[in-house]
Amino acid sequence: MKNIFLLLLLISSLSFAQSKDCSRLKNCKLESLLAEDKSYIIIKNNEYSQIYDDGNFVKAKINWIANCEAEITISEVSIPDFSLATGEKLNLKIDKITGDIAECSVKMQGETYNSKFKITK
């Protein structure tokens, strides 16, 4: 009986640990934690703005298709020779949230990229 209780406890704790609440990422400010990416992101009212240290930016519309998954459509870019065109879509998936750190994967043009952000607001 004790083993069954421990097994049920383990299963319930695993299912709880795997659930994520991404609602705070739907209106927030994020700072990139990747050394090569000097930018921050503002997400507000289904609008996405990524601003780089040099003043360049990417703006997009966000369509949340699940709790932690969104389709992002590029609407404006100031970066010369940017690899994504206006109207192009990419898929964002929040993989893990630990405290104020969000880890996500972005699928675009057939490739998947991983990112890590600090939630600052």
Side-chain angles (χ1 to χ4, degrees):
M1 183 70 171
K2 186 177 178 183
N3 288 340
I4 292 172
F5 176 73
L6 289 174
L7 180 62
L8 290 174
L9 183 63
L10 178 63
I11 290 170
S12 66
S13 67
L14 285 174
S15 64
F16 178 76
Q18 291 176 349
S19 66
K20 300 178 292 265
D21 178 15
C22 295
S23 61
R24 72 185 203 165
L25 296 177
K26 295 181 181 177
N27 284 295
C28 66
K29 182 176 179 181
L30 306 166
E31 290 180 18
S32 176
L33 295 177
L34 301 179
E36 67 274 5
D37 182 9
K38 302 294 183 195
S39 69
Y40 65 92
I41 295 171
I42 297 173
I43 299 174
K44 187 171 184 172
N45 300 324
N46 294 326
E47 300 283 331
Y48 169 103
S49 299
Q50 186 165 6
I51 297 104
Y52 293 86
D53 283 352
D54 64 3
N56 282 310
F57 62 86
V58 175
K59 293 186 179 185
K61 303 279 185 197
I62 298 179
N63 177 30
W64 291 96
I65 55 178
N67 176 41
C68 295
E69 189 172 354
E71 182 180 75
I72 299 175
T73 305
I74 304 297
S75 59
E76 188 178 352
V77 177
S78 72
I79 302 169
D81 302 320
F82 191 64
S83 61
L84 298 172
T86 300
E88 197 158 351
K89 297 180 187 297
L90 48 115
N91 183 273
L92 168 71
K93 184 176 179 188
I94 310 302
D95 300 314
K96 183 177 177 184
I97 299 174
T98 307
D100 288 335
I101 306 299
E103 296 178 45
C104 58
S105 53
V106 177
K107 186 174 182 179
M108 58 184 179
Q109 298 176 333
E111 299 287 330
T112 301
Y113 303 91
N114 295 315
S115 295
K116 190 182 255 189
F117 295 94
K118 180 177 181 182
I119 305 165
T120 60
K121 268 188 178 177

